[in-house]
Amino acid sequence: MTDHQSIVRDALQGIGLGPERVEAALNGSPIYGVSGLLNSLELVQFVTALGEVTRIDPTEFLSVGESGLNTVVSGISNLCGFLEARMCLPEGV
């Protein structure tokens, strides 16, 4: 498990997701969307939790637009890629 996957796991557990749903997310199930693991309220909680851990402003998730957000949270690989790109940016960018 990568560090980014650990961050995602911790954030999912932090919002109260049970072990089966956390494991499903880590195994590639859609995190949000029509067949996603999170409803819209849980998504907001999750993005906020990720922001607290990663120091990524939650509005950055929204800045990618609705279709971009759906892509970012479509699965663990896309989400980890998003986190990696944002966490490597210099301060203030």
Side-chain angles (χ1 to χ4, degrees), residues 12-93:
L12 289 169
Q13 290 172 336
I15 65 166
L17 233 57
E20 291 174 2
R21 290 169 70 193
V22 170
E23 191 65 29
L26 296 176
N27 286 326
S29 292
I31 296 171
Y32 180 73
V34 175
S35 61
L37 298 167
L38 303 180
N39 62 38
S40 56
L41 177 60
E42 291 168 329
L43 177 65
V44 171
Q45 294 171 328
F46 177 58
V47 167
T48 302
L50 282 176
E52 290 173 1
V53 172
T54 63
R55 297 183 170 253
I56 296 172
D57 189 319
T59 60
E60 284 194 49
F61 288 89
L62 302 175
S63 70
V64 297
E66 185 176 344
S67 64
L69 179 60
N70 287 333
T71 300
V72 167
V73 293
S74 65
I76 188 76
S77 296
N78 288 342
L79 181 55
C80 285
F82 177 86
L83 294 176
E84 182 175 359
R86 294 305 189 276
M87 291 173 72
C88 291
L89 290 175
E91 189 69 28
V93 174

Side-chain angles (χ1 to χ4, degrees), residues 1-20:
M1 183 177 303
T2 68
D3 289 338
H4 296 106
Q5 287 174 321
S6 295
I7 290 168
V8 171
R9 183 197 64 227
D10 292 346
L12 289 169
Q13 290 172 336
I15 65 166
L17 233 57
E20 291 174 2

